[in-house]
Amino acid sequence: MELLQQADFNCIGNVAQHCDKEKMCIAEKEAIQFDLSQLFCENWDEIEQIYNEVNEGSLDADKLNLIQGGVYIGCNGRNKKHSGIRDLLAYYSYSRYVIINGYSDTATGLKQKTDTFTLPIPLKELEQFADKYRNMGLIYFRQIENYLCNNKDSFIWWKGNCKCGCEDGKCSGTKAKGYGFKSSNITKNGLR
């Protein structure tokens, strides 16, 4: 199920009106599976349920605020803003879309899009551009994390420690970029 619409990318990324919706759907699914579920750890199921409730018309103010963003009272008693899960998902999805949009599957294998009037952007530049949006998404996550911490009465399922985002401290970012790979050495006994 797609959680985002074309309008959710307005003022976030350069998504053309004629964007490849199938590739955007893939990017969104990857962002949910490999980014947001990692950022929110075991809390992602609850957040996805709230997202669906809001899309179905739930008017609960705290739930709407979580999904659409808004203002809340921070730890210092001042108003703070966060952009919401929808924008967070849009940033991570767009980051992934930037990488996969330049390639198409054909009968003879994966091909890079080209035409006579344009030149493809080198992969390294695309990766840097995608990383820029991932980093902005991580900033949005920190804002949402603060919102959840300051509204624990409304979100009793939130298990974040309000410093790192996850009780074990291992969920401070995402590792799966959707491009490149990581290698490691394997020794004779299987240990590094």
Side-chain angles (χ1 to χ4, degrees):
M1 167 173 59
E2 292 178 46
L3 300 178
L4 297 174
Q5 305 298 320
Q6 176 81 30
D8 293 321
F9 293 96
N10 291 346
C11 300
I12 289 178
N14 188 15
V15 178
Q17 293 298 320
H18 58 277
C19 78
D20 188 327
K21 293 187 183 351
E22 288 180 18
K23 289 180 182 176
M24 185 60 81
C25 180
I26 292 167
E28 180 181 323
K29 185 174 181 176
E30 286 181 2
I32 289 168
Q33 192 66 32
F34 300 110
D35 295 317
L36 273 60
S37 67
Q38 297 297 308
L39 288 169
F40 289 103
C41 300
E42 68 273 9
N43 302 130
W44 177 246
D45 291 337
E46 286 83 0
I47 292 172
E48 196 167 31
Q49 182 179 344
I50 291 170
Y51 201 112
N52 292 329
E53 288 175 25
V54 168
N55 281 343
E56 292 169 2
S58 171
L59 298 177
D60 178 274
D62 289 333
K63 290 178 180 179
L64 281 170
N65 194 324
L66 176 62
I67 302 305
Q68 297 176 353
V71 178
Y72 65 97
I73 305 297
C75 295
N76 60 3
R78 295 185 178 162
N79 285 345
K80 297 190 71 123
K81 292 182 185 178
H82 76 95
S83 294
I85 301 291
R86 186 170 285 140
D87 280 357
L88 175 69
L89 177 56
Y91 272 87
Y92 276 99
S93 296
Y94 183 68
S95 170
R96 290 180 173 276
Y97 178 76
V98 163
I99 299 297
I100 53 181
N101 188 42
Y103 300 92
S104 295
D105 185 29
T106 69
T108 58
L110 197 61
K111 304 292 182 194
Q112 187 173 22
K113 289 184 187 178
T114 60
D115 64 38
T116 55
F117 302 109
T118 62
L119 295 173
I121 296 173
L123 181 59
K124 191 72 175 165
E125 287 181 40
L126 284 178
E127 290 173 351
Q128 291 171 346
F129 192 70
D131 284 346
K132 174 181 113 172
Y133 280 88
R134 288 174 58 78
N135 291 334
M136 288 188 286
L138 188 57
I139 291 168
Y140 276 10
F141 168 72
R142 298 286 182 234
Q143 294 171 353
I144 294 166
E145 184 179 43
N146 287 335
Y147 171 72
L148 289 167
C149 287
N150 283 283
N151 291 284
K152 279 188 84 94
D153 291 342
S154 297
F155 303 106
I156 56 174
W157 46 264
W158 175 244
K159 294 177 178 65
N161 67 9
C162 299
K163 291 187 176 153
C164 166
C166 297
E167 292 172 0
D168 63 5
K170 294 181 182 174
C171 299
S172 61
T174 64
K175 305 288 186 248
K177 292 183 177 182
Y179 57 85
F181 61 90
K182 205 180 238 190
S183 63
S184 62
N185 294 331
I186 299 174
T187 62
K188 192 173 188 178
N189 62 6
L191 301 173
R192 288 185 222 170

